[in-house]
Structure formats: structure tokens, C-alpha cells
Amino acid sequence: MRRFEMIARSPVFVALFLSLAIAGCASKKNMPNSAGDLGLAGSAKPGSTQDFTVNVGDRIFFDVDSSVIRADAQQTLAKQAQWLQRYPNYAITVEGHADERGTREYNLALGQRRAAATRNYLASQGVPAARIKTLSYGNERPVAVCDSESCWSQNRRAITVLGGAGS
Amino acid sequence: MLIIGQPKEGPELMLKILRTLCAAFAMVMATLIVATLPAKAQLKLDITKGVVEPMPIAITDFLSGDQLGTNISNVIAADLERSGLFAPVDKGAFIEKISNPDAAPRFEDWKVINAQALVTGRVTKQGDGRLKAEFRLWDTFAGQQLDGQQFFTSPESWRRVAHIIADAIYEKLTGEKGYFDTRVVFVDESGTKEKRIKRLAIMDQDGANVRYLTNGKDLVLTPRFSPSRQEITYMSFEGGKPQIYLLQLETGQRELVGNFPGMTIAPRFSPDGQKVVMSLLQEDGSANVYTMDLRSRTTTRLTSTSAIDTGASYSPDGSQVVFESDRGGRPQIYKMGADGSNPQRISFGDGSYSTPVWSPRGDLIAFTKQSGGEFSIGVMKTDGSGERILTSGYHDEGPTWAPNGRVLMFFRLPPGSNSPKLSTVDLTGRNLRQIQTPNLASDPAWSPLLE
């Protein structure tokens, strides 16, 4: 149990676990969006960044060349918005990312477009837009690197990163 | 410090050389008629044809008291060979051993090994510590000297002198400017494939003399040379706010370009060096093209769409800007006036087009094309017609022109590795070469030639 807690608390392990889990997943529509979906919930302190990452899900995924918020992503963002309104002291940065099947400059712009779409959706769910900064990494920070959709689909993402003093 | 000159290479020396040469010939072939020498057609490689048979050229070791003469001739030979236009003859086949580079060689000895051109030279240390490098270029079949120059330089600049000599030979034999005395700025990549450490670096075009310009702490991308090649503009994620910077290469002095409300990306200098064109990523997710005047610090917006407009590149005369936009759906190449007027789409092929770069000659636009799961480097005329794909692969991206407009450098990733290396390809598409770099490398930008 101790080991499980350690793993669940470590964003690196969570991300790694997610990567492995998603890489083995055949349909992207059924991709788990949070560690909670994978049964890792329950150990994080409510209101902590771990709570957000594990129980809410800090990231959403996009289709190729698209910044449309998918139905599965809408669910995740609705949960994010609820949580963010309950804990209003966190500064929020939405990081947009692209897969590597594009050119560098375009991907930087595409990542920004995804971050903006994500921020707008969170705002539509009641999170003040002024509270949310956006940043694009383009294809500079892939989660997984391989030559197939199993990796690229994980990299087309927007991550809601919490900063500042939490409650 | 490099002094280029032809102090004695005016008509006087040429005459003297001709006389020496004629005397040498007279001894070998008593029937030679002096008057026929200038009448012979000058050796010239026609590089306007689609397929060029590389010209065999013998590049002898420059005379010197040490290894330096050999080193210089090796650099010259490597430059010319990499161009794909020349085939240096194996030194093991040489018959004549050059002992006096001022005297005419025994042309028969070079003709018999099929060396159409011959390079001889000498490098000597001067009393003041500088090096003097001299070379002569000979047409072996016409039996005449085509070029002869001498250069003075500091000893540590010996590679640069070799490149300058290679440029002189290239220009004399092809009729086009060379591109060997140039440098490349690029992004050196190390670290894991998920989180690369990226450093700005600069090197000679042949991969030698790599020097690092940033320490890897901040993510840096897309460095581009100024026309004076004294500074570069690039993008850095410094301080968590990705923006465009200028960096003076000699002093290391840095400054921010503009103070925009959002991220700025994809910078490039205008041909006069007075402006930087770039894209501003806006709150609504659009990207638009802006310029900043480096003297007045005023910014001008060139495009106003809700699309992604980026990758702007000026025409060499500064009157037009080519850029990529997905305003029609997928990224395609557009052209507009330098003031943003009259944007028109020029790419219409299958797939998507990005990273357009106007040729320094003004006649072509190079691009990255994505189609059928492949990434290609290609060129098209400036009206979008005459598209030619030069090389294709899993991921070939980001062409940059050699200053003579004949060769493109780009970066290439093998499948699924995130491990880019630099390569060059010429306009025929037949001469593809990888550039050796100490680590992985991406985002190359070729410097202009120094005038």
C-alpha cells in the first residue's frame, strides 16, 4: 500500500503509467483521461495538485490537426472547472501540445490554438478566463515517442497546470 | 582577421606566369604556338543542365613545412566533393609531385590521370605570425592558369582560408558564387527523446568549429541569420514566456524583439536587416504575421485572420513576403506584399505545405510538404508553379538556402526516434549528404556569404 501511494503521488509515475496504459489502448475514444479512471484514485489529499491530477484528470486529447474539444474532453474539463472553482487560489496555466507530425512553427501555433480552446471551455464552465494563462510547447514536449498513432494521440493534448499557492 | 588580395596577380603576374608557362611548354613541346593559348575555350562546368557529371579535379597538397598544407587541401577537396559538382582525383594517382607551385605543372601528367583542373598552392608563416596562403588553378587540357590568389590570415583561421579558396575555384569553374565560406546556426539536441535539451550552436557549413551560444537551460528554437551575419534572431522559452530575441554573435549581447502580449514565434530578418518578421500567437488561438522595425521599435501587423499565419519569409528585394496559413483548411503557402497587401495562395498540391523560404536568387521558394504520411523538401517557382520534390522521408523539415541558391540544408528524423540530424540536398535532388554534428541537430539556418 505504501508503494502504491508513492506511485500515485508521483506525477512522473502517473504520467508513465498513463503512457503505458494509453499506448496499449486500441480506441482513442475510450482513452482514460485521468489516473482516477485507472483506479489510482483515493490516496491524494483533497484540494492538492495530486488530487487534481489523479481524481479529476489534468489533460485532454485532440484529434489530428484539430482544436475541437471532444466529448470525452468536455467531461474532463467540466470536472476540472468544478474543482478549480472549489479551489480558487490556484493559478492556472493551460499548456497546449501537438504531435510531431507537423512542422515546428505550425505546431507551436496549433498548441496555442488548443490551449485557447481549452481555456475558453473552462471559462464557459465558470472558471474566470482572467485566471487562466495559456502557453504552447508545440511538439517540443512529447509524452511518448514512436512512429505510430498510439504515441501521437497522447501528444495532441492540453494540460491544465496548477501553480501559485493552493489552499 | 583575414586579408584577401591579389597583390601581384594583376596582368603583370599573369603575363609572367604565362611566359613561364609558355617556356615550360616550349621545352616539352617545341611545336607549341603561343598564340593558341588564349584562344582556347576556358574550362567551364555547365551546371545549368539537369544532370551534371562531376568534373575531375586534382587538388595537390599545398607546400608547407608541416601538416597544414595537406590539411588545407583536404578541406578544399571535401568542400568541392560535397557540392556534387566535382570529383577530386585520388592523390595516390598523382604522377607529378609539385615542388614549385609558382611554375607551370607538367600538364601531360595531369591529363593522363584525367584531371581536367589542377590546384596547386603553398602556405607559409610570415614574420608577424600570420599565414600566407597562395593557390593557383590550372586548366590542364588548355594548359593555362585560370586563377591565382593569395590570402593572409591568422593561423587559427586556416580552415576559413581553405573555404575561401574552394569558393574561388567553384566560382571560376561554374560561373556561380560558391557557398563554402559560410556558417550555419542550428539547434543542438541532447537529453532524452521526450525532453530534449536544446542549445543554440554555430558551425562552419562543413560541420567544423562548433560553438555553443546558449547553455541549454531554456528551450530555444528556429535561429535565423541577419543579412550581415553578425547577429541571429531566435525564439526562447526563457522565463516561461516564449518570445523572439536578437543575439549579437561577437559580443553575446541579447535583446528582446518587441513586447507582445502573447507568444511570438517564427522570426526572420528582412533582407536589409532593419526588420524582423514573426508571428504573434493571440488569445483567441489565431496566429498573425507582424514585423518590428529594429530602429524605430514600431510594430506593424501584416495579416488579420482567425487562422494560423506563420513561417513568414521575405523575397530578396524585400518587396514581398511568403508565409504559411491554414485559412483555407490545411496549411498552404501564400504570398503578399511586404505591407500585407493582396495575399494570394500559391500552393495547390495534395497535402499541406509549410516553412516557405524564398531563395536568395529570388527565383524559387523552398518548403516542407506533408503528403501521404511523408515529409518532403521541395521547391516551387514564386507563382507556385513548377513544384519539384527534392527529397522525401519519414520527416524532412525546415529547408534553408545556401547563399548561392543551389543547395538546401534541412533536418531529417528517422521514424519514431525524435532524433534529428542535418542534411543537405542540391537542386537536382541527386546529391543528398548528412552533415556531421557532435549531437543531434535541427533548425539549421545558413549564413549569407561575406562580401
Side-chain angles (χ1 to χ4, degrees), chain A residues 100-106 108-110 112-113 116 119 135-137 140-143 145-147 152, chain B residues 194 198 221 224 237 242 263 265-266 281-283 308 324 326 331 354 370 373 375 394-395 397 411 416 443:
Chain A
E100 48 275 57
R101 301 308 280 162
T103 47
R104 194 175 315 287
E105 295 89 340
Y106 183 78
L108 285 166
L110 180 58
Q112 172 66 19
R113 194 188 257 173
R119 185 202 52 219
L135 179 64
S136 172
Y137 279 101
E140 299 302 316
R141 292 286 180 263
V143 166
V145 176
C146 68
D147 62 354
W152 305 332
Chain B
E194 287 82 15
K198 295 195 170 190
L221 301 170
R224 310 293 180 210
F237 279 67
M263 283 176 69
I265 67 167
L281 307 186
Q282 269 137 335
E283 283 288 291
I308 291 172
E324 64 179 87
D326 67 353
S354 53
Q370 273 176 267
F375 282 56
Y394 174 78
H395 195 131
E397 181 180 337
F411 65 95
D443 290 5

Side-chain angles (χ1 to χ4, degrees), chain B residues 17-84:
Chain B
I17 302 276
L18 265 179
R19 262 185 259 120
T20 315
L21 182 148
C22 293
F25 255 67
M27 282 187 281
V28 180
M29 309 156 76
T31 54
L32 185 77
I33 302 164
V34 175
T36 62
L37 276 179
K40 289 240 183 183
Q42 187 186 304
L43 178 63
K44 190 148 182 185
L45 186 60
D46 182 0
I47 53 175
T48 60
K49 289 181 293 191
V51 183
V52 176
E53 190 65 31
M55 177 193 285
I57 182 169
I59 300 156
T60 61
D61 290 343
F62 281 28
L63 295 189
S64 71
D66 50 21
Q67 184 63 27
L68 190 55
T70 305
N71 293 346
I72 286 180
S73 78
N74 287 347
V75 168
I76 296 169
D79 277 348
L80 294 174
E81 193 280 329
R82 256 194 338 278
S83 76

Side-chain angles (χ1 to χ4, degrees), chain B residues 192-405:
Chain B
T192 68
K193 61 185 179 180
E194 287 82 15
K195 190 164 184 188
R196 289 278 180 230
I197 294 163
K198 295 195 170 190
R199 291 183 290 174
L200 290 186
I202 188 166
M203 64 183 181
D204 297 347
Q205 52 77 28
D206 61 353
N209 293 325
V210 174
R211 181 161 72 90
Y212 293 98
L213 304 173
T214 62
N215 60 14
K217 190 167 75 64
D218 299 305
L219 177 60
V220 289
L221 301 170
T222 61
R224 310 293 180 210
F225 265 103
S226 72
S228 71
R229 74 182 211 177
Q230 300 300 307
E231 58 188 333
I232 57 171
T233 180
Y234 66 103
M235 180 198 173
S236 170
F237 279 67
E238 191 174 327
K241 195 177 179 213
Q243 292 181 98
I244 304 302
Y245 291 83
L246 290 182
L247 175 66
Q248 301 288 333
L249 289 174
E250 290 303 319
T251 63
Q253 192 187 339
R254 265 165 18 103
E255 64 179 290
L256 193 60
V257 179
N259 187 17
F260 291 94
M263 283 176 69
T264 42
I265 67 167
R268 242 180 237 285
F269 281 95
S270 61
D272 63 4
Q274 294 308 316
K275 287 181 197 155
V276 169
V277 64
M278 65 199 127
S279 283
L280 172 65
L281 307 186
Q282 269 137 335
E283 283 288 291
D284 63 356
S286 69
N288 282 282
V289 178
Y290 284 73
T291 57
M292 193 183 95
D293 188 297
L294 296 175
R295 279 192 283 204
S296 68
R297 304 270 142 188
T298 53
T299 56
T300 306
R301 183 172 181 160
L302 300 191
T303 69
S304 298
T305 67
S306 58
I308 291 172
D309 295 345
T310 190
S313 167
Y314 278 94
S315 61
D317 67 1
S319 69
Q320 296 176 87
V321 169
V322 66
F323 64 102
E324 64 179 87
S325 175
D326 67 353
R327 60 184 68 179
R330 313 180 73 168
Q332 295 285 345
I333 298 176
Y334 291 73
K335 189 167 74 166
M336 63 185 171
D339 58 356
S341 60
N342 192 24
Q344 18 173 332
R345 179 173 164 180
I346 61 167
S347 69
F348 292 94
D350 292 337
S352 58
Y353 294 75
S354 53
T355 76
V357 199
W358 215 299
S359 151
R361 281 197 257 192
D363 55 343
L364 295 170
I365 289 164
F367 54 81
T368 305
K369 179 176 182 173
Q370 273 176 267
S371 174
E374 287 204 315
F375 282 56
S376 307
I377 303 296
V379 293
M380 58 176 64
K381 291 183 187 160
T382 59
D383 63 0
S385 68
E387 174 180 319
R388 285 196 296 129
I389 297 301
L390 303 179
T391 180
S392 292
Y394 174 78
H395 195 131
D396 292 347
E397 181 180 337
T400 177
W401 290 95
N404 73 349

Side-chain angles (χ1 to χ4, degrees), chain A residues 61-79:
Chain A
F61 300 96
F62 295 87
D63 290 338
V64 175
D65 254 341
S66 167
S67 57
V68 173
I69 307 293
R70 301 191 321 219
D72 57 339
Q74 289 179 17
Q75 289 178 20
T76 303
L77 292 184
K79 283 163 70 181

